[in-house]
Amino acid sequence: MKTTVKELMQESGVAFGTSGARGLVSAMTDRVCYGYTAGFLGYMTEQGEFAPGGEVALAGDLRPSTPRILAACARAVRDMGGIPVFCGYVPTPALALFAFARGIPSLMVTGSHIPADRNGIKFYRSAGEVLKEDEAGMSRQVVDLGEDRFGADGMLAIPETLPAVTDVEDAYVRRYIDHFGAGALSGKRVGVYQHSAVGRDVLARILTELGAEIELLGRSETFVPVDTEAIRPEDVVLAREWAAQYGFDAIVSTDGDSDRPLIADETGKWLRGDVLGILCSARVGATSVVTPVSSNTAVEKSGLFGAVVRTRIGSPYVISAMQGELAAGSAVVVGYEANGGFLLGSAIPGKTEGSATRALPTRDAVLPMLAVLTAPAPSVSAQLADLPQRFTFSDRVTPFPPEASARLFGELSAGDEAAQLALQSKLFAEFAGEAVAIDRTDGLRATFAKGGVIHLRGSGNAPELRCYTESESEAEAVALNASAVKAIRALLGLD
């Protein structure tokens, strides 16, 4: 049976967005995952990046559904004439580092931070992420799903065994040892919040090899959906308790596939990812910084960088803009997102003699946390105090089905700009004041005369509405967010 990937998407409900294919585990049958992988490799064949006999690297996170999905993807690789190279259960950037160095396509089975009843597949070309312009090429691919390859339940009729694991961790660890230098963390005491992150052990190894004294915290054998952009209240409490108990210099963690960092200061206060991005950008000597429109405006106000470029939310948009900065001749190009993921677009010198830290144009959790931990400052909080004092906060409305999102943005976008500003002012006047500017780069971002910012955006990965706020104090940003969410729920009659 032949079908297109687009038809498979529509049939299954497993959508393809800025983070690859994602959907409910019940919808991500072997047949669907096989079809997506075959379509990806068909497109890679067109691009001259795959041919029969070629290798394809695979890895996954620690969700219960991941091994089954990996097996279906491996079968598709074999049936397309390729050689699956199984890299084990490792961080997404570790897989990418290996595959980019080898010049081969790769895929990561992960749902990142979303709950365990969902999963996904991230696809990588031989030198970088699949970008938005690649989606149409993948979607039109015709894939042969066979007549007897799958059972009535959509699962493989004959089970697939994954190959033996190819080690990619050693090179990943060496990247950071060479860049920061042996002993760079000597004298530092660091808590490692492990939960169910796939990189929990390799992160502990990196910190130890750099000389830190570590304490392992909160390990879970059940998947925990830690979102670095919407930190759970229980994780806020845990970090403060651990900091008080152990006297750490910092606490570090990552999301599920370990491509986004979480770092808390010596008091156990989690840093916002966009502030972490500013600190890391400065530490690597960035000349051009690319970041989504939702990120903290302290990056411009700091005056530290020659150019700051704003994009839509999602690493493919950030990477595209980074490529533009590189083409324009900028010396050190980086990108970061509000969720903390940091992208290195240029090679930079390492501390180990003769070493150079290669560009890694995909989200990386380890570089930004180590950049902060090794900074010549008395504490993490001292580094924050040196930045312009703008504060961001984000939350989400769940469940928030697509039809509610369409209704909300339909109302907020009605009429000309003057009408939209008037509606924003009316909706949020009691706590934000008059709306003075609107940015539609991604969703709807309004700036208010009192200095606050409210940015609304429907999630492309889950049935939820994202609300980002910015103000001159942390308390104001949090309060502004809560008030905005309450107003939206009232507008749509969700209470």
Side-chain angles (χ1 to χ4, degrees):
M1 175 185 174
K2 292 186 177 181
T3 186
T4 66
V5 173
K6 184 175 182 179
E7 289 168 341
L8 197 61
M9 292 181 203
Q10 295 168 339
E11 169 197 320
S12 65
V14 177
F16 192 88
T18 55
S19 295
R22 282 191 182 175
L24 289 166
V25 168
S26 57
M28 293 188 69
T29 61
D30 292 352
R31 179 175 176 273
V32 169
C33 297
Y34 179 104
Y36 259 109
T37 304
F40 166 61
L41 294 180
Y43 179 63
M44 289 297 91
T45 300
E46 289 181 359
Q47 301 302 306
E49 297 181 30
F50 174 77
E55 295 179 328
V56 179
L58 305 88
D61 68 11
L62 298 180
R63 293 164 188 269
S65 59
T66 291
R68 172 187 64 79
I69 295 173
L70 275 169
C73 295
R75 173 69 67 83
V77 172
R78 286 200 177 101
D79 287 353
M80 292 290 287
I83 302 169
V85 179
F86 180 45
C87 300
Y89 301 95
V90 297
T92 297
L95 168 71
L97 184 70
F98 168 82
F100 295 168
R102 209 140 167 159
I104 60 174
S106 58
L107 62 87
M108 177 78 180
V109 176
T110 179
S112 186
H113 64 281
I114 58 179
D117 65 342
R118 298 170 182 269
N119 211 329
I121 310 173
K122 291 181 180 178
F123 298 100
Y124 289 85
R125 296 182 60 161
S126 59
E129 292 188 14
V130 166
L131 302 181
K132 297 304 293 181
E133 53 263 35
D134 296 315
E135 289 184 24
M138 286 182 60
S139 298
R140 62 174 165 74
Q141 295 298 314
V142 176
V143 295
D144 186 356
L145 299 176
E147 295 297 329
D148 54 3
R149 188 173 284 131
F150 306 98
D153 58 358
M155 300 305 177
L156 286 168
I158 301 174
E160 178 74 15
T161 301
L162 288 167
V165 174
T166 295
D167 174 65
V168 300
E169 285 194 2
D170 285 349
Y172 187 60
V173 172
R174 177 49 51 190
R175 173 181 177 83
Y176 303 106
I177 307 304
D178 285 346
H179 182 75
F180 290 97
L185 293 179
S186 294
K188 297 285 187 180
R189 181 165 169 75
V190 182
V192 183
Y193 177 26
Q194 294 196 295
H195 60 92
S196 55
V198 72
R200 57 191 179 183
D201 293 326
V202 70
L203 175 57
R205 177 184 166 190
I206 291 168
L207 292 167
T208 300
E209 292 195 21
L210 283 170
E213 177 188 347
I214 68 169
E215 187 79 30
L216 303 180
L217 307 164
R219 189 182 183 94
S220 173
E221 299 311 314
T222 301
F223 188 80
V224 180
V226 171
D227 185 346
T228 61
E229 195 171 15
I231 300 169
R232 303 181 309 157
E234 54 264 51
D235 290 331
V236 172
V237 173
L238 278 173
R240 292 194 183 278
E241 290 177 345
W242 286 330
Q245 179 180 354
Y246 293 102
F248 295 128
D249 292 289
I251 300 169
V252 297
S253 189
T254 70
D255 66 336
D257 67 319
S258 296
D259 69 343
R260 304 187 201 171
L262 262 179
I263 180 168
D265 68 13
E266 65 277 9
T267 70
K269 180 180 178 182
W270 295 112
L271 275 64
R272 302 293 302 173
D274 47 7
V275 173
L276 178 61
I278 299 171
L279 295 176
C280 186
S281 298
R283 287 278 286 141
V284 302
T287 53
S288 291
V289 175
V290 179
T291 193
V293 65
S294 58
S295 294
N296 194 312
T297 59
V299 64
E300 287 96 351
K301 295 179 185 299
S302 71
L304 293 170
F305 312 106
V308 177
V309 180
R310 296 285 186 159
T311 71
R312 293 185 65 184
I313 295 171
S315 57
Y317 300 110
V318 174
I319 292 169
S320 290
M322 288 171 65
Q323 291 172 346
E325 291 299 294
L326 288 166
S330 188
V332 180
V333 178
V334 304
Y336 66 81
E337 300 177 275
N339 57 35
F342 192 87
L343 303 94
L344 183 63
S346 307
I348 54 177
K351 292 289 187 183
T352 302
E353 186 176 352
S355 70
T357 304
R358 291 204 329 266
L360 184 59
T362 192
R363 286 191 295 242
D364 180 9
V366 174
L367 183 64
M369 64 175 67
L370 293 183
V372 169
L373 286 171
T374 58
S379 65
V380 174
S381 62
Q383 296 175 60
L384 299 177
D386 285 340
L387 293 177
Q389 297 302 290
R390 293 290 293 177
F391 296 85
T392 56
F393 186 76
S394 62
D395 203 353
R396 51 192 172 178
V397 181
T398 58
F400 201 83
E403 55 269 24
S405 185
R407 182 179 155 206
L408 173 66
F409 288 103
E411 292 197 29
L412 295 180
S413 301
D416 59 15
E417 183 160 331
Q420 292 175 34
L421 284 168
L423 180 57
Q424 292 277 327
S425 298
K426 180 180 178 181
L427 183 60
F428 302 123
E430 184 178 342
F431 49 88
E434 181 186 2
V436 296
I438 290 178
D439 187 324
R440 301 179 189 81
T441 301
D442 196 343
L444 198 150
R445 181 179 174 91
T447 301
F448 294 83
K450 290 184 179 180
V453 175
I454 299 173
H455 180 188
L456 305 174
R457 173 181 174 267
S459 173
N461 301 322
E464 60 190 37
L465 175 75
R466 293 278 187 174
C467 179
Y468 310 86
T469 49
E470 181 177 325
S471 194
E472 295 177 353
S473 77
E474 183 176 20
E476 288 174 3
V478 172
L480 185 62
N481 199 288
S483 297
V485 168
K486 184 178 180 180
I488 293 158
R489 295 185 68 88
L491 176 68
L492 298 180
L494 296 177
D495 290 319

